[in-house]
């Protein structure tokens, strides 16, 4: 998403862009995601929000509770701003819309090319795939996700810590009688978590195709990685029973889950960098600031990165761009926003996905209660909407 969006946004500023994607035929990995008002704004600027609205599902309320009925989360975008909503989308829908625009653009894209190293020399960055030189460029954007080896070649202080929990997730067709849901979560401590979210139709689906519901099931990382090998049909039946025990209303939906292969594995890392540029190289998206999905921000941040970078290039002649200065400016502009979401996600994750007991205990005691206070609700939903650049004050201007 970061790479596609940046390539598109920069090419719309008149820059010549080459895009290299490792996968020969790009397909969405994973299931669905929630696009926040900030991400929607970037897509609007790219002219891509309209087609996505025709596919996705608007989400107003986020509700999560415990099996004993204690409310943990109850937030509404409407209470933040009457026009605001989250947009639940299938990854395939977002990728389909982005790739359709890329194919129609001036971007010179090549799939099935895995870049492996770069060299900065004078006013050029040379990019390689193994021993093959891919080209010499005035600047290089690294947008290859949290587990990027290219990022490790940047001489910038950085760390990438894999979270101890991951997830199994998929999109299932919504049965005809299934209740109309917004985002619905159920937690047992921080060890069990099930999430359901409407995500509408996939790219290329017929208008009458059943709308999808995203299903998220949290698991310790070791179990995620071994799950498909160990599961088989019995493992799937056991898993479905655990899901129903935690949230009985999901039972009719699970009729659509027949094969372990429908479940995709997700793992995530907390990526931190002192800054995101080094000379003519910049890390964007998860590559620069991967985080856990608890706040539903990763794809949004990737889209904002692209938008901000393109904004810095606006109105300038490609030949005259001072890339090292421009990328350093990008790091300064993005710092407050990215730092806030990185800290917030790191702070929240142990409350929702960990072996800890105290953190979820405090969550269950205080989150629901705190959320009823107007000021806390305002702050929480502003955080979710993706607009915060500081713990109390500070709003992102796009
Ligand atoms: C369970 C889960 C739920 C999530 N929910 C949400 C949500 O609700 N809202 C939200 O905003 N975000 C969410 N996210 C986060 C979101 O998925 C990521 O932040 C987003 O995908 C990051 O996009 P990216 O383009 O930076 O990286 P990626 O999506 O990781 O893309 C990296 C790309 O680089 C390619 N690549 C890799 N190596 C190379 C190479 N050497 N050369 C060339 N190409 C290469 C890959 O094939 C891939 O296409 C969620 C994530 C997970 C795991």
């Amino acid at each position: 998403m970061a790479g596609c969006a940046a390539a598109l946004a920069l090419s719309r500023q008149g820059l010549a862009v080459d895009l290299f994607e490792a996968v020969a035929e790009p397909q969405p990995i994973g299931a669905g995601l929630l696009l926040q008002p900030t991400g929607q704004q970037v897509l609007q600027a790219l002219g891509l929000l309209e087609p996505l609205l025709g596919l996705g599902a608007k989400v107003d309320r986020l509700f999560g509770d415990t099996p004993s009925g204690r409310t943990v989360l109850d937030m509404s975008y409407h209470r933040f701003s009457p026009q605001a909503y989250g947009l639940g989308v299938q990854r395939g829908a977002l990728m389909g819309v982005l790739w359709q625009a890329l194919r129609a653009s001036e971007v010179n894209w090549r799939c099935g090319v895995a870049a492996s190293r770069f060299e900065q020399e004078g006013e050029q960055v040379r990019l390689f795939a193994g021993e093959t030189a891919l080209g010499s460029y005035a600047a290089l954007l690294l947008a290859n996700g949290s587990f990027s080896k290219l990022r490790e070649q940047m001489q910038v202080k950085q760390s990438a810590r894999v979270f101890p929990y991951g997830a199994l997730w998929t999109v299932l067709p919504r049965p005809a009688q299934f209740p109309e849901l917004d985002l619905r979560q159920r937690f047992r401590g921080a060890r069990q978590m099930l999430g359901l979210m409407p995500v509408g139709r996939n790219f290329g689906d017929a208008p009458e195709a059943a709308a999808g519901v995203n299903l998220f099931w949290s698991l310790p990382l070791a179990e995620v990685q071994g799950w498909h090998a160990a599961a088989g049909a019995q493992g799937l039946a056991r898993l479905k029973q655990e899901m129903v025990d935690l949230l009985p209303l999901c039972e009719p939906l699970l009729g659509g889950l027949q094969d372990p292969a429908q479940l995709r594995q997700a793992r995530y890392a907390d990526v931190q960098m002192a800054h995101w540029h080094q000379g003519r190289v910049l890390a964007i998206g998860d590559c620069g600031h991967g985080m856990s999905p608890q706040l539903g921000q990763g794809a949004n941040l990737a889209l904002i990165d692209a938008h901000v970078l393109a904004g810095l290039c606006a109105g300038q002649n490609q030949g005259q761009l001072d890339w090292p200065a421009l990328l350093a400016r990008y790091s300064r502009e993005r710092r407050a926003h990215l730092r806030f979401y990185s800290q917030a996600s790191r702070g929240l994750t142990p409350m929702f996905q960990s072996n800890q007991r105290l953190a979820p205990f405090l969550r269950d005691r205080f989150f629901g209660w705190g959320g009823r206070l107007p000021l806390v609700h305002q702050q929480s939903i502003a955080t979710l909407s993706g607009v915060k650049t500081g713990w109390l004050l500070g709003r992102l201007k796009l």
Side-chain angles (χ1 to χ4, degrees):
M1 287 165 207
C4 288
L8 260 181
L10 291 172
S11 106
R12 300 244 173 116
Q13 297 295 348
L15 274 71
V17 184
D18 285 0
L19 172 72
F20 298 101
E21 164 56 53
V23 172
E25 284 195 27
Q27 289 177 355
I29 291 184
L33 55 82
L34 191 59
L35 267 178
Q36 307 298 348
T38 45
Q40 295 165 27
Q41 219 177 314
V42 172
L43 289 169
Q44 174 88 58
L46 288 171
L48 301 179
L49 184 59
E50 207 56 39
L52 210 57
L53 280 172
L55 295 169
K58 288 189 179 176
V59 171
D60 175 45
R61 186 173 178 223
L62 287 82
F63 182 80
D65 61 1
T66 64
S68 63
R70 195 186 277 270
T71 299
V72 175
L73 290 178
D74 192 358
M75 297 197 273
S76 154
Y77 287 96
H78 272 110
R79 285 174 57 197
F80 175 61
S81 151
Q83 293 85 33
Y85 55 86
L87 186 63
V89 293
Q90 301 202 24
R91 276 164 188 261
L94 180 52
M95 291 307 297
V97 166
L98 280 169
W99 272 93
Q100 188 177 45
L102 265 179
R103 288 194 171 96
S105 75
E106 301 287 310
V107 174
N108 174 29
W109 54 269
R110 282 174 60 191
C111 291
V113 181
S116 58
R117 70 187 168 91
F118 62 84
E119 286 171 5
Q120 295 203 59
E121 233 178 68
E123 302 201 334
Q124 298 280 297
V125 192
R126 293 200 295 153
L127 184 65
F128 298 87
E131 291 312 309
T132 309
L134 297 175
S136 286
Y137 299 98
L140 171 66
L141 305 182
L142 303 179
N144 62 333
S146 294
F147 301 94
S148 172
K149 295 281 175 222
L150 291 161
R151 179 192 60 235
E152 291 171 10
Q153 294 166 37
M154 289 175 75
Q155 280 149 28
V156 175
K157 198 170 164 220
Q158 56 179 280
S159 64
R161 208 168 40 88
V162 182
F163 283 101
Y165 271 65
L168 295 174
W169 58 332
T170 187
V171 173
L172 297 172
R174 183 174 171 274
Q177 305 305 323
F178 200 67
E180 290 280 352
L181 288 178
D182 277 330
L183 188 143
R184 178 77 173 89
Q185 294 178 327
R186 165 81 39 97
F187 319 101
R188 186 176 279 132
R191 286 163 185 260
Q192 272 196 329
M193 171 177 174
L194 186 141
L196 301 178
M197 179 176 72
V199 286
R201 289 177 297 118
N202 206 346
F203 190 77
D205 275 355
E208 62 280 8
V213 176
N214 188 65
L215 172 94
F216 173 100
W217 179 251
S218 165
L219 275 180
L221 191 58
E223 288 180 45
V224 172
Q225 288 169 337
W227 194 83
H228 284 88
Q234 279 185 350
L236 184 63
R238 254 197 321 275
L239 181 78
K240 285 164 72 169
Q241 191 55 53
E242 276 185 77
M243 291 175 176
V244 173
D245 290 346
L246 185 63
L247 185 63
L249 76 79
C250 74
E251 187 163 13
L253 183 69
L254 295 181
L257 179 56
Q258 296 294 334
D259 183 346
Q262 283 172 268
L263 290 165
R264 304 295 194 102
Q265 301 178 0
R267 62 180 187 138
Y268 12 94
D270 177 36
V271 176
Q272 293 194 53
M273 298 184 76
H275 48 82
W276 298 276
H277 68 283
Q278 186 219 333
R280 294 172 176 271
V281 179
L282 182 74
I284 59 170
D286 276 9
C287 177
H289 43 74
M291 56 189 70
S292 93
Q294 298 308 328
L295 276 171
Q297 298 295 326
N300 292 277
L301 294 172
L303 291 168
I304 297 167
D305 290 350
H307 183 79
V308 169
L309 183 63
L312 293 177
C313 300
Q316 302 203 50
N317 182 315
Q318 179 158 16
Q320 288 162 0
L321 281 173
D322 177 351
W323 281 104
L326 190 141
L327 300 187
R329 188 162 161 218
Y330 166 93
S331 274
R332 284 196 300 278
E333 295 234 343
R334 293 295 289 130
R335 173 169 300 275
H337 189 236
L338 291 175
R339 286 278 177 267
F340 173 79
Y341 281 98
S342 172
Q343 288 170 4
S345 130
R346 216 172 313 131
L348 275 178
T349 301
M351 297 188 187
F352 291 92
Q353 288 195 284
S354 75
N355 293 324
Q356 293 190 21
R357 286 171 192 273
L358 182 62
F361 173 82
L362 295 174
R363 173 200 72 191
D364 293 351
R365 291 293 167 290
F366 297 113
F367 267 41
W369 170 80
R372 285 193 285 277
L373 304 174
L375 183 69
V376 176
H377 185 272
Q378 274 291 322
Q379 289 289 338
S380 311
I381 201 77
T383 301
L384 184 74
S385 297
V387 297
K388 279 177 70 71
T389 55
W391 283 97
L392 273 179
L393 302 171
R395 289 285 191 270
L396 182 73
K397 291 183 188 67
L398 281 178

